[in-house]
Amino acid sequence: PNSVSSRTVRVCSAQCSAVEEPGAMAALTGFPYGVVEAIAEHLGLLDVLPFGATSLEMHWIAAKTAGDAAKYAFDGVLPAAYLLLGPREPPDWLKFLMALQPRCLVRGNRKVWPDQTRPLPFVLDTTGPWFVEFKLAAAGAPNGTPTIGLVDAGCPVTTSGEGGRHCPGDLSRRGTERFAISLAPYDGTVLAARPGSPTRCRARLRWEKIGDEQQKWNDPMSCGFLIENRKLKFFRVGGRGEWHSGETVCEDLPKQVSPCMFMSSYVGFALVQYVCLWNSLPETCPHCDANFQGFAEPWDSWN
């Protein structure tokens, strides 16, 4: 897939441009403002930053260029407000990079993990398209696995004792005032809770089970979900090392959602990492992918 981070070279390209020498950067200060601005628009982020350090005028050009490019590249993404707390508000391009950088949501081995819903520090407009990629591993776990999914962006977030941000409890397993849905990628079990409903819903995708969370070790599995036109579809890398999708599990998502990791009554080793946000779905084989559509167990209510 095409990374959202590469959607515009001006924001996140790690490649160096032809303007490499500090002397060449400083020489640009003698060019007309419009010419310098046009040059800045074609630089990657690693070049824009030193470009803006050559003079105060260059700083304003670089800041405006990076900010405009970030807003374009990440249209439909809203960084979490708590990332912006501090004596000074960071520039727009830095807000997005702070929110979207890869991060580990949970890692370790415990006898008792707290029930939790841990959102990523950004909100997505469900018009999309957005693909949120994770890596997940579970081992020595008799009570299932951590799950990935999303919640309505209006869900309240609190601060845990360990400094992480979370909502208390697994919101996909209990009726709340907010929509929540999650996937257990090992076997394709999907759980959902809708506003105002006292019951939860459960289904299982037509996926073969991969791995055994009760054994001593499992390699991390790549998994994720696609949001497009307010629809939700889960993906994972199967036993053959190729991405495949599942049935569309929701067609009326809230307008804004927060990607999340969920835990409920979990025991054992857990690893959940957010990898990247993409603006397209992973490449799949259309013939093979057709075998994974539909439900092995249809939606049903459970208490």
Side-chain angles (χ1 to χ4, degrees), residues 89-227:
E89 183 176 353
D92 289 334
W93 61 266
L94 185 55
K95 295 176 187 177
F96 289 111
L97 296 188
M98 290 168 61
L100 296 175
Q101 64 180 338
R103 66 189 66 236
C104 184
L105 297 176
V106 65
R107 180 187 180 98
N109 195 343
R110 295 188 185 182
K111 294 182 178 180
V112 179
W113 287 89
D115 293 356
Q116 59 183 291
T117 298
R118 189 174 294 269
L120 291 173
F122 58 87
V123 170
L124 297 176
D125 186 299
T126 53
T127 301
W130 303 112
F131 184 81
V132 187
E133 182 181 351
F134 293 86
K135 282 190 179 294
L136 183 148
N143 295 338
T145 73
T147 58
I148 62 166
L150 53 83
V151 299
D152 188 316
C155 175
V157 178
T158 59
T159 304
S160 72
E162 299 178 357
R165 301 280 172 159
H166 77 285
C167 305
D170 182 340
L171 298 184
S172 68
R173 293 175 182 263
R174 58 184 176 89
T176 67
E177 297 180 357
R178 302 290 182 179
F179 175 82
I181 188 168
S182 67
L183 165 79
Y186 279 26
D187 65 358
T189 298
V190 183
L191 304 173
R194 290 187 172 273
S197 175
T199 61
R200 300 152 293 177
C201 297
R202 176 172 56 188
R204 189 166 66 83
L205 299 173
R206 200 165 73 179
W207 290 1
E208 61 183 6
K209 184 175 175 60
I210 296 179
D212 180 1
E213 64 271 16
Q214 297 190 40
Q215 65 186 17
K216 291 184 178 180
W217 177 250
N218 290 291
D219 291 330
M221 170 191 293
S222 293
C223 52
F225 52 83
L226 175 70
I227 299 170

Side-chain angles (χ1 to χ4, degrees), residues 75-78 123-130 150-153 179 181 225-233 250-259:
D75 184 30
V77 182
L78 181 65
V123 170
L124 297 176
D125 186 299
T126 53
T127 301
W130 303 112
L150 53 83
V151 299
D152 188 316
F179 175 82
I181 188 168
F225 52 83
L226 175 70
I227 299 170
E228 186 171 17
N229 296 324
R230 299 188 66 182
K231 297 180 181 180
L232 176 65
K233 179 175 284 195
C250 183
E251 298 186 351
D252 58 346
L253 289 172
K255 292 183 178 180
Q256 292 185 321
V257 295
S258 297

